[in-house]
Amino acid sequence: MNEQRAARSVEAVFREDRGRLLALLAARFGDLDLAEEAASDAIAAALERWPADGVPDKPLAWLLTTARRKAVDRIRRDRTYAQRLALLRAEGDRTTPAPAEPGFDDIPDERLQLFFTCCHPALAPQARTALTLRFLAGLTTPEVARAFLVPTATMAQRIVRAKHKIRDARIPFRVPEPDELPDRLPSVLRVVYLVFTEGYAASCGDDLLRPALADEAVRLARILHRLLPREPEVTGLLALLLLTDARRAARTDADGGQVLLEHQDRTRWDAGLIAEGRELVVRALTGPGTGPYAVQAAIAALHDEAPDLATTDWPQIVALYDVLLRIEPSPLIALNRAVAIAMRDGPAAGLALLDALTDAEELPGYHLLPAARAELLTRLGRTTEAATAYRAALALVGNARERATLTRRLTELTPPRPDPSA
Amino acid sequence: MKYLLLINTAAPDSTEQQPAGGPTMEEFMAYDKAISDSGVKLDGNALDISNATTVHVRVNGERVVTDGPFAETREIVGGYYLIDVPDLDVALDWAARCPGARYGTVQVRTVWEPAQP
């Protein structure tokens, strides 16, 4: 009984602080493999000791001390580690003074370093996301693999390769200087954003939402915001995620089917998240350094504030998309802007913009472009063209729930022909 | 930690015109002075890019010598630096400061060091 309780508290501590523990060990030893092994060793020791000795007052400090000792044991056993580490120390001492040993009462939070290492631009974008989920969100490799619907072996290989590059090319565990942040921060924010969008609108599979992934993204964004409270884009990203996530409960029906924005029951939107997000977005938009996440958050806030689709402040949304297109031109933003224009000026105006995008072939293979065209063509009563566009969207869509929505729209468009045999 | 910065430039016979301007001698000399003064430079040279010769030895021992760099290479190594710096970020900073990075690319490689028995 006692043993079970101890095991549970180890798990709780580990789940909560695993990222911090790994970050501290990685910062100390400069090696993610060693950090992981030492952390596992410490957990095993805790499972053995805590049932007998009781859970220590400061579980993280206990785990950290134990993990450090275990790491040193491993280094002594493994001469390759020893050599590599000796080299690291020598070079580290040469360049920077040795960091002070953290006191047990104020263990520093080194997760920001780990964020920047996992999202280093020298790593492949897919690897950055995988490492961040694995080391900062605390997902296991099979969980990360499931999140991206690739075989576990493939994901394991991707993670190992990235870990080896960090070690062999010596990607440092450090927070970039303020003047480097403009170059380095976007890649960290992008990883968190991608984790969220994959959780919020899965690109493939049977479920529209993968809530666990969206939750992890929000958690990561909150950690980042705590660590970098004065970076407007970090604030903007957290605001964007909260303001979007607020609609989660209304986005699917009881069967998991997709509910589009115009049909969502807005009373089911999370007022608490909206309030929190709105406060953040104001901060993200004031002062210098406002970027694309803050502007997108402002658009999300306008949607969240509107009682329905018709009374949404479309002129303001179009204006914000104009800003967004200026600071971060992308065909995806042009697509969203065209839809907003259609709401403000009517479907014909939006369609003209979508047709231009289609002709430019800037979003090849993206199902939402023909889907948006189909929507506007339907409203214009051009049903034959709308049907063609829906079929084009169906040929591209990867998510089963979105496929169902498109199929339904297509059948609503073409009333069943009278059965000649009847 | 030793890093090799390989300065890639457009191969002379694959492009009709050299990229507009290209790094000037003054830019390279300023960079070379900066990297030498910093004490991280172990070695470094510019290479002639118009007289490359490629050698391959076949399984049967036959030596095949051809004019130019490896066939269909669109970029050629125009120079290199061997530097000793603490980590990749510092190596990338030096690579980014290299004038060649603005007109071509600079590849950053680590020098393989065998684990000692």
Side-chain angles (χ1 to χ4, degrees), chain B residues 16-44:
Chain B
E16 288 302 303
Q17 79 280 4
Q18 286 285 73
T24 64
M25 188 59 79
E26 286 73 27
E27 284 178 290
F28 258 112
M29 285 181 41
Y31 177 70
D32 190 71
K33 180 168 166 28
I35 201 167
S36 303
D37 289 351
S38 74
V40 302
K41 176 180 152 183
L42 299 176
D43 191 14

Side-chain angles (χ1 to χ4, degrees), chain A residues 11-47:
Chain A
E11 265 167 40
V13 168
F14 198 48
R15 167 82 191 145
E16 186 55 32
D17 290 327
R18 185 175 184 269
R20 285 189 63 183
L21 189 60
L22 280 173
L24 286 158
L25 294 167
R28 179 84 171 82
F29 297 106
D31 188 309
L32 276 172
D33 277 330
L34 184 60
E36 278 196 299
E37 284 163 8
S40 303
D41 287 349
I43 293 302
L47 281 169

Side-chain angles (χ1 to χ4, degrees), chain A residues 91 95 120 168-170 172 174, chain B residues 1 3 86-89 110:
Chain A
E91 303 212 3
T95 52
H120 198 281
D168 297 338
R170 204 172 296 165
R174 62 183 266 272
Chain B
M1 183 92 172
Y3 294 87
D87 60 49
L88 184 66
D89 279 358
T110 57

Side-chain angles (χ1 to χ4, degrees), chain A residues 79-80 83 91 94-95 120 122 168-172 174 180 184, chain B residues 1 3 84-90 92-93 110 113 115-117:
Chain A
R79 293 179 66 190
T80 326
Q83 277 163 7
E91 303 212 3
R94 200 182 66 187
T95 52
H120 198 281
D168 297 338
R170 204 172 296 165
I171 293 176
R174 62 183 266 272
E180 296 173 275
R184 297 286 308 275
Chain B
M1 183 92 172
Y3 294 87
D84 188 1
V85 293
D87 60 49
L88 184 66
D89 279 358
V90 184
L92 292 176
D93 283 344
T110 57
E113 285 170 30
Q116 266 136 54

